[in-house]
Amino acid sequence: MSARIVFLIRVPDDRQEAFLTAYERIRHLVAGGVPGHLRDQVCQSSTDPEQWLITSEWRSLDDFTAWEATAEHRDLVRPMRENFTEARSLRFLIRAETA
């Protein structure tokens, strides 16, 4: 069963450029080489510009948790995480979707 990972984060105005630069670098590496990764998105709130959402879809929750446990993951996401002032991670199993 596929999974959706959701990160709710806060990025101060003065760190947003660095955050987006780090996200761009990471997303291409993950999309091109992490087993089970299907797609991701980064979104900015239309009402609170410091509130951001990162979602990713995975073939399975096991694929995500295996990657998340690696030193490579921690090293890769560190430049992006350094720009967060708050972060919350949620994990969901996808039960149904509309194409």
Side-chain angles (χ1 to χ4, degrees), residues 46 75 86 98:
S46 64
D75 292 342
E86 295 176 29
T98 303

Coordinates of all heavy atoms in Angstrom, one line a residue, residues 46 75 86 98:
S46 N -1.0 30.4 1.5 CA -1.4 31.6 0.9 C -1.8 32.7 1.9 O -1.9 33.9 1.6 CB -2.6 31.4 -0.1 OG -3.7 30.9 0.7
D75 N 22.1 13.4 6.3 CA 23.1 14.3 5.7 C 22.4 15.1 4.6 O 22.7 16.3 4.5 CB 24.3 13.6 5.2 CG 25.1 13.0 6.2 OD1 25.0 13.4 7.4 OD2 25.9 12.0 5.9
E86 N 10.1 25.3 13.1 CA 9.2 24.3 13.6 C 9.0 23.2 12.5 O 9.0 23.5 11.3 CB 7.8 24.9 13.9 CG 7.7 25.9 15.0 CD 6.3 26.5 15.1 OE1 5.3 25.8 14.8 OE2 6.2 27.7 15.5
T98 N -8.4 9.5 -6.4 CA -9.1 9.8 -7.7 C -8.0 10.1 -8.7 O -7.1 11.0 -8.4 CB -10.0 10.9 -7.6 OG1 -11.0 10.6 -6.6 CG2 -10.7 11.2 -8.9

